[in-house]
Each structure stands twice: as C-alpha cells, then as structure tokens.
C-alpha cells in the first residue's frame, strides 16, 4: 500500500529509508516544539495565567503535523513544515508593540495577530491555487536558483556552528560555541570569561564534532542512516559526559514532566480565538502592512527552501524546476491556515528538511513520518526535549557542507550571476532570512542587467519582485 501510494520504487527508496529520513528530520527540528511557544509567550512570562504557553505548544504540534500530512499525500515530497523561526519572533515583537499601542492585554493582542496570520494563509492558498506562487518561482533567474541550495548550506553551517549551541552561566550571560569558545584567544581566557558555563561548553563542542565525524565516517561507508546514527551517538556521549563529568542528571526533567496534553488551555486561549475587534484597533493600514510583510517573508522563505533542498536531492529538471511545486506550496498555506485556527504563527517549510533528504528521503512518506512524530509529541514532548542541541548541530553542519557542493553549478564567470549569488551567500546566514537574501540577489541581478544593456533578459515579473523588495527594505512605514 505504501509502495503504491508514495511511489517508492519509482523514487529509488524504501519504507525503511523513508522512515529513518522522517525521524532524522524530526530530530533536527524538534527544538521548535518548545521554542515556538517560548518565543510567542516571551518564555512563559506572558499569558501564563490563561495557559497561553500550552495552547501555542499544542498548536505548534497540530499545525505542523497537518501541514506535513498535506505535503505527504498531496505533493508526495519529503519536505517538513512547522511554525517558522524569524516569523514567530517578528510576531512576538508585533504583539508586544500592540500591547503598548492599544492597551490590550497580551492574550488579546495575540488573538488579534491570529487574524493577520489567517488572512496571510488564505491569500497564499488562493495564490497557490491560481499558480501565482509557481510563476514567482519561475521568475527567479536560473543562476540565483542554483545558488539557493549552497546559500542554505551556509545558513545551516551558521546555525550549527554559530548559534545552535550556546551555554548560559549562572549570571545569565550566553556564550556561543564558535564565537566565544573557538573564537577565544586562549582556552584559559575562554574559561575565565565563561565561568561555570565553561565545562558544559567543552562537552558541547566535543559532542558536536564527535557527532559530525561519526556521520561522515558512516556516510563514507554508504550507511543511509548515518545522520540519525551520528546524532544518536552524539546524544549518548553528551548524556554520559553530563552525568559522569558534570554531575548532572540529563533526564531529570522527565521526573516532573507532564505527559497529559492541556487541551483545555488551548480551547480557552488559542483555538479559533480570532480577536476581530482587536484587529480593528490595530488600524487597517497597519493590518495591510503586516499581511504584506508576512507574505513576502514567508513566500520567499518557502520557495527558497523548496528549491534549495529539491536541488540537493536531484528533484529538479535542467531549468531548476521542481515537479508538484504547486502542491508543495499549497501545503504550507494549509499549515498556516490551520496554525492560525489552532493558535500559532506562520507555518513554513523548514531548511532542516535537508537532513532527511540527505538520509535518503525522497517521497511524502518522509514528511508523513515526521508529522506523526510531531503528533506523538503532544503526549511525549518532554522526551524530544532531552535531545541535546550539540547533537542536532552535528547533523546541520554535515548537511550544510553537502549543500555547499551546489556551488559548482553556478556560473561565476558571469558577473550578473556571480555578484547576486555571492551577496545571497553572505546575506542568508547573516540576516537569518532565506527570503531577504533572495530579495537582495533579485535586486542585484536586475540592476546589473539593466545597466549593462541587457534589460530585455529580465522578465516583467522579476522587475516586479525586485521593486517589491526595494519597497520592503527601504520604505519605512
């Protein structure tokens, strides 16, 4: 049945490979399950009495699972979705501003923003049905499309090396493995600055590299489950070090953890809790601006992730187009609509999907497996939370390196391609936004073509997209 539904043989894969790929992707993106409600409730400090954290937590799991089920059965692609990082932070900032501007409470402002997310999701659904989003993908010049995959690779490397592993000391200061540990002049200086956080930082750094090397060694031997095995090996090393060397119990959180879903809190705070009256208090100009901003960021984040990951998996044709792009785009619009109805920010395709693709995932069975894992986390979230960040970093670094190999497809002899792609390569990890990096590349490409006498090479839609990004970047409203 699975063979016929997901066309496994046609895609040169198997049930075992797809399930392993789905679990691999899940392990690399499981952090969003707890991090998303943390961000949207300011780490539990807002809406605590009303149970907002629990509502957002359940909404995160449910909306992600629904989006992945749609991706599995409609598009049959191995891409996994969840509330997007960056978009959730932006939503939290807007909610805080609404509290200050309108006098509404945090939960009321949150519920007003759910209306904005619903509008965005409906707009994207309509645009996807009308093939408008697919035409936007086609409007991205081939040279830039070929550069998206290695740019995402750099972004994954930055997350893995730069920001995914950080330690806080007893004073609350945060230290990052690459900037503060490997960037220190001497080990003694790092120890002095980090204080009681230094031993944990050493353990994390060792764990990260051991996990990476295990993945590389297994992959070189042709082991398809290399990524998930490397993460498992890294996790075991971390747990042993945490217990035997640092004297901590890595499983202590499980003793007090609740495995009973708080559906009551969700019903009271986020489930279909659209504050239309609050939306009116925001002002329609603000609402329109917010919807456009969310649309632009989400659209190009999703497009970039789909194109980049599909390129790495060999799912695109010579022109860089991916079959079933329309269905894949519909999946994240459905996820966003479900997310707004259940109570979370915009749902989008995760770049961590690349880890599952590298583990051999080629069909919707990968996303189905990951979606089921997200649903299970409604009951077993505390178990997912004990996976150390250093272990997921190892996987992200490995996948990032592999995606960098896509640079060989880019024509660096053509300056109209070289300059935009180079800007995109550096902008993506620094800005943390796939969409914004693509926007800068599009603007650069258009300007270079126009002023080198090749304006006719630029399509009308490319001009429109470049103009929209110029307005977004430089018009303060």
């Amino acid at each position: 049945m699975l063979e016929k539904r997901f066309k496994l043989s046609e895609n040169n894969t198997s049930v075992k490979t797809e399930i392993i790929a789905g679990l691999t992707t899940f392990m690399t993106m499981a952090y969003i399950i707890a991090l998303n409600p943390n961000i949207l409730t300011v780490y539990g400090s807002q809406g605590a009495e009303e149970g907002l954290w629990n509502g957002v937590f359940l909404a995160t799991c449910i909306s992600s699972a629904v989006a992945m089920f749609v991706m599995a059965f409609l598009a049959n692609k191995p891409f996994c979705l969840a509330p997007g990082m960056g978009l959730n932070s932006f939503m939290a900032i807007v909610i805080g501003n609404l509290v200050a501007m309108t006098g509404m409470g945090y939960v009321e402002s949150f519920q007003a923003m759910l209306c904005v997310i619903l509008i965005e999701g409906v707009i994207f659904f309509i645009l996807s049905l009308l093939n408008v989003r697919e035409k936007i993908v086609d409007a991205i010049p081939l040279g830039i499309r070929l550069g998206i995959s290695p740019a995402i690779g750099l972004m994954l490397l930055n997350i893995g090396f730069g920001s995914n592993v950080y330690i806080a000391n007893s004073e609350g200061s945060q230290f990052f493995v690459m900037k503060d540990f490997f960037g220190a002049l001497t080990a003694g200086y790092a120890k002095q600055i980090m204080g009681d956080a230094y031993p944990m930082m050493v353990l994390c750094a060792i764990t990260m590299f051991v996990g990476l090397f295990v993945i590389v060694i297994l992959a070189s031997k042709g082991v398809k489950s290399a990524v998930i095995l490397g993460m498992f090996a890294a996790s075991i090393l971390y747990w042993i070090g945490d217990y035997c060397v640092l004297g901590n119990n890595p499983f202590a959180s499980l003793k007090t953890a609740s495995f009973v879903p708080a559906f009551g809190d969700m019903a009271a705070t986020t489930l279909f809790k659209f504050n239309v009256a609050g939306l009116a208090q925001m002002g329609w100009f603000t609402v329109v601006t917010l919807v456009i901003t969310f649309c632009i960021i989400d659209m190009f984040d999703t497009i970039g992730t789909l194109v980049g990951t599909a390129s790495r998996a060999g799912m695109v044709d010579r022109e860089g187009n991916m079959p079933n792009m329309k269905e894949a785009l519909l999946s994240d619009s459905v996820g966003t609509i479900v997310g707004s109805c259940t109570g979370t920010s915009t749902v989008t395709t995760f770049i961590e999907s690349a880890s599952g693709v590298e583990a051999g995932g080629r069909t919707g069975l990968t996303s189905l497996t990951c979606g089921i894992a997200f649903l299970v986390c409604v009951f077993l979230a505390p178990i997912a939370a004990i996976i150390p960040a250093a272990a997921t970093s190892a996987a992200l670094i490995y996948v990032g390196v592999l995606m960098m190999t896509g640079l060989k497809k880019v024509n660096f002899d053509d300056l109209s391609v070289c300059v935009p792609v180079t800007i995109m390569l550096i902008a993506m990890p620094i800005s943390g936004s796939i969409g914004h990096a693509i926007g800068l590349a599009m603007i650069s490409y258009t300007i270079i073509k126009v002023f080198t006498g090749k304006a006719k090479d630029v399509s009308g839609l490319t001009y429109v997209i470049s103009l929209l990004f110029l307005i977004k970047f430089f018009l303060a409203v």
Side-chain angles (χ1 to χ4, degrees):
M1 185 173 113
L2 292 176
E3 163 63 39
K4 183 178 179 181
R5 183 65 188 81
F6 295 107
K7 302 177 182 178
L8 302 179
S9 298
E10 182 180 323
N11 288 280
N12 298 315
T13 185
S14 65
V15 172
K16 178 182 177 182
T17 298
E18 293 293 303
I19 291 176
I20 290 175
L23 292 175
T24 299
T25 301
F26 168 73
M27 290 180 70
T28 58
M29 62 186 288
Y31 65 87
I32 195 65
I33 294 173
L35 186 56
N36 190 53
N38 278 346
I39 290 174
L40 290 176
T41 65
V42 194
Y43 288 84
S45 65
Q46 300 294 332
E49 293 183 4
E50 298 92 333
L52 183 62
W53 194 99
N54 290 331
V56 178
F57 162 76
L58 291 172
T60 300
C61 294
I62 294 170
S63 62
S64 301
V66 170
M68 283 185 266
F69 294 160
V70 176
M71 180 69 76
F73 293 109
L74 187 63
N76 194 26
K77 297 296 181 184
F79 308 122
C80 299
L81 306 91
M85 288 297 296
L87 288 166
N88 53 8
S89 299
F90 179 55
M91 179 173 169
I93 292 171
V94 173
I95 293 171
N97 290 336
L98 288 179
V99 172
M101 290 167 51
T102 65
M104 292 189 294
Y106 192 90
V107 174
E108 290 177 297
S109 299
F110 180 93
Q111 293 167 346
M113 276 302 298
L114 291 181
C115 298
V116 173
I117 304 302
L118 176 63
I119 295 170
E120 179 211 346
V122 171
I123 290 174
F124 269 3
F125 185 79
I126 295 172
L127 292 178
S128 298
L129 283 178
L130 297 176
N131 296 323
V132 174
R133 294 177 76 184
E134 199 168 1
K135 290 178 181 177
I136 291 174
V137 175
D138 294 337
I140 301 175
L142 178 59
I144 295 178
R145 266 185 276 171
L146 293 175
I148 290 175
S149 179
I152 291 177
L154 271 181
M155 191 172 182
L156 289 175
L157 287 168
N158 182 57
I159 295 172
F161 275 124
S163 59
N164 204 38
V165 177
Y166 65 91
I167 306 297
N169 63 14
S170 57
E171 298 176 356
S173 300
Q174 292 184 342
F175 303 97
F176 297 83
V177 67
M178 185 55 69
K179 180 171 69 73
D180 298 304
F181 184 73
F182 291 108
L185 293 175
T186 65
Y189 179 73
K191 182 177 182 180
Q192 177 184 346
I193 295 298
M194 296 181 192
D196 56 8
Y198 182 74
M200 179 62 78
M201 178 61 81
V202 172
L203 174 61
C204 286
I206 294 173
T207 298
M208 181 177 68
F209 278 103
V210 168
L212 174 62
F213 295 144
V214 169
I215 293 172
V216 171
I217 292 169
L218 292 176
S220 66
K221 295 181 180 296
V223 179
K224 288 189 175 182
S225 55
V227 175
I228 195 168
L229 290 175
M231 292 174 63
F232 185 61
S235 297
I236 291 176
L237 174 64
Y238 177 89
W239 293 330
I240 292 174
D242 196 25
Y243 183 77
C244 297
V245 179
L246 303 183
N248 301 320
N249 180 2
F251 309 112
S253 61
L254 297 179
K255 294 181 179 179
T256 56
S258 173
F259 292 87
V260 180
F263 287 117
D265 288 340
M266 180 182 180
T269 58
T270 64
L271 187 62
F272 294 106
K273 296 296 182 181
F274 296 113
N275 183 5
V276 179
L279 191 69
Q281 289 189 51
M282 293 166 61
W284 295 113
F285 181 77
T286 300
V287 172
V288 171
T289 302
L290 286 173
V291 169
I292 292 174
T293 300
F294 272 100
C295 280
I296 291 176
I297 297 174
D298 183 25
M299 180 179 296
F300 284 91
D301 274 9
T302 299
I303 288 172
T305 301
L306 288 173
V307 172
T309 307
S311 297
R312 172 62 199 169
M315 296 179 183
V316 296
D317 56 26
R318 292 182 178 179
E319 285 72 43
N321 299 314
M322 184 187 80
N324 294 344
M325 175 65 82
K326 175 181 178 179
E327 290 79 2
L329 293 171
L330 277 170
S331 302
D332 81 275
S333 62
V334 171
T336 297
I337 293 173
V338 174
S340 66
C341 293
T342 54
T344 185
S345 54
T346 302
V347 173
T348 186
T349 307
F350 261 51
I351 57 175
E352 285 82 357
S353 299
S355 62
V357 168
E358 200 53 46
R362 292 295 181 272
T363 74
L365 185 53
T366 293
S367 51
L368 176 63
T369 301
C370 189
I372 292 173
F374 264 77
L375 270 189
V376 170
C377 276
V378 167
F379 304 93
L380 302 177
I383 294 178
I386 65 174
I387 301 172
T392 62
S393 285
L396 295 178
I397 292 167
Y398 172 70
V399 174
V401 170
L402 294 180
M403 295 187 77
M404 287 294 296
T405 61
L407 282 176
K408 62 187 178 185
K409 299 179 182 178
V410 179
N411 181 14
F412 282 102
D413 292 329
D414 183 352
L415 283 177
S416 67
V417 173
C418 173
V419 173
V421 169
T422 301
I423 291 174
M424 182 169 61
L425 285 169
I426 196 66
M428 203 170 288
I430 291 178
S431 70
S433 171
I434 296 173
H436 286 179
I438 294 175
L440 287 170
M442 295 281 281
I443 292 170
S444 304
Y445 175 86
T446 303
I447 291 175
I448 292 171
K449 284 291 188 182
V450 169
F451 288 96
T452 55
K454 299 178 181 179
K456 293 182 179 179
D457 293 348
V458 183
S459 70
L461 190 52
T462 301
Y463 280 115
V464 172
I465 294 171
S466 300
L467 179 62
L468 287 174
F469 271 110
L470 278 172
I471 293 172
K472 184 190 181 305
F473 287 144
F474 298 108
L475 183 61
V477 292

